[in-house]
Amino acid sequence: QELYDRYEFSFNQYIKEKVIPTLEEKQGEYMLKSLVIRWDNHKLMVRWLSRFFNYLDRYYVQRHHIAPLNDVGINCFRSLVYEKVKVNMKNAVLELIDRERDGEKVDRVLIKNITGIFVQMGMGTMEAYQNDFEKDLLAHTAAFYGRKASQWIAEDSCPEYLIKAEECLNSERERVQQYLDRTTEAKLIAKVEHHLLEQFETELLDKENSGCSALLMQDKVSDLARMFRLFSSVPRGLQPIAEKFKQHVTKEGLDLVQSSEKAVANAKKGEKSSTSVEQTF
């Protein structure tokens, strides 16, 4: 028991004396880089000490039904370091993601390492990642694209807006592949689609000279294909487009019928005029 207790005490002492002071003197991206180094060192220390005291894990831990040495070491880091810096971690990562969304090049490997720490702090679950990071990431994403959408809808034509929306969705999918957990993708894309597409669909389709009706009249196939592709992922997103298409087909059909009737009427008038001339002579 004394050896088991000393094992945990050694971790706590090391963290308080070496790790926390190093992290407290740094902010933002520098803090994240230091945290990654400290976490990697901690995992290495846990692995080797667990092997060194393997006897405890094989006999003492099993016999007394207590936490294995690996879990004790990870819990020390979680309770003393992670709980202290998790808010700063989250804010620093969100700042990096916003900078990348605005076109700046950022350290994607660093972000991936930090999101990995959020996952590992769940000790086999996604609880820490979801509660301490993902929840605020989604709220931050909603606010970011809400601002962008308000700006673009006022400045851009419908095709220009949809091009930007498609680029944003592709970028968010790439972010998931590069440094976010795959379980985030569906939630993240839903947020982007809601704020860029769903909220402004009526305004986009009704835009003068560039909305859905104008694109149909001008036979803009690629723009219409993009519109269909994007709104097919939005709940009930195709229904307003279908209504516009119906109105367009109906109008075009009626115009053709009226043109045909007018042509027939003109033809009949021409025949009557010709008959009158022949009778006169």
Side-chain angles (χ1 to χ4, degrees), residues 55-249:
Y55 170 82
L56 288 175
D57 261 342
R58 287 167 53 199
Y59 297 102
Y60 182 76
V61 167
Q62 293 187 22
R63 188 175 301 169
H64 290 81
H65 306 289
I66 53 180
L69 298 183
N70 183 75
D71 289 356
V72 171
I74 300 301
N75 275 323
C76 289
F77 191 92
R78 173 171 177 157
S79 60
L80 295 177
V81 179
Y82 176 74
E83 291 296 332
K84 191 177 184 68
V85 303
K86 65 182 182 182
V87 174
N88 290 336
M89 282 172 63
K90 174 199 67 182
N91 292 336
V93 172
L94 292 179
E95 182 185 347
L96 287 175
I97 293 174
D98 271 357
R99 283 162 51 188
E100 185 182 49
R101 284 170 174 161
D102 281 328
E104 186 176 336
K105 189 173 182 179
V106 299
D107 189 343
R108 287 183 161 189
V109 175
L110 175 62
I111 301 176
K112 182 176 178 61
N113 288 332
I114 294 297
T115 57
I117 293 177
F118 279 111
V119 172
Q120 292 168 78
M121 288 298 102
M123 302 288 287
T125 73
M126 296 299 293
E127 184 178 352
Y129 175 85
Q130 291 171 350
N131 294 336
D132 299 335
F133 173 69
E134 185 186 69
K135 181 174 66 175
D136 287 317
L137 169 69
L138 296 176
H140 211 72
T141 299
F144 180 88
Y145 284 110
R147 293 192 300 271
K148 291 295 184 183
S150 298
Q151 177 187 342
W152 295 342
I153 196 69
E155 298 174 352
D156 298 329
S157 66
C158 178
E160 290 169 342
Y161 184 101
L162 293 179
I163 288 171
K164 288 181 179 179
E166 189 171 47
E167 289 173 350
C168 290
L169 286 165
N170 290 336
S171 296
E172 294 303 324
R173 291 188 180 96
E174 185 185 359
R175 284 188 185 92
V176 173
Q177 294 174 359
Q178 291 292 325
Y179 52 69
L180 298 175
D181 191 83
R182 58 183 178 81
T183 58
T184 302
E185 182 169 354
K187 306 172 201 173
L188 190 67
I189 295 303
K191 285 288 183 186
V192 179
E193 287 177 338
H194 175 73
H195 287 277
L196 288 185
L197 299 174
E198 190 173 355
Q199 284 196 330
F200 290 100
E201 181 170 15
T202 301
E203 291 181 59
L204 281 169
L205 298 185
D206 291 340
K207 266 190 174 285
E208 190 176 359
N209 300 323
S210 69
C212 186
S213 298
L215 296 178
L216 287 166
M217 289 289 293
Q218 298 164 24
D219 200 24
K220 299 288 187 178
V221 177
S222 62
D223 291 326
L224 289 166
R226 181 179 296 105
M227 180 182 289
F228 177 85
R229 189 165 58 245
L230 291 173
F231 283 104
S232 62
S233 301
V234 174
R236 298 177 299 279
L238 292 179
Q239 188 174 342
I241 298 174
E243 186 60 34
K244 293 285 185 185
F245 183 73
K246 177 183 175 181
Q247 293 171 5
H248 172 74
V249 171

Side-chain angles (χ1 to χ4, degrees), residues 21-40:
T22 304
L23 294 175
E24 285 180 336
E25 64 187 22
K26 295 182 175 65
Q27 296 292 328
E29 191 172 348
Y30 296 104
M31 185 272 290
L32 295 181
K33 290 179 178 179
S34 181
L35 179 64
V36 169
I37 294 171
R38 290 297 178 178
W39 172 236
D40 287 341

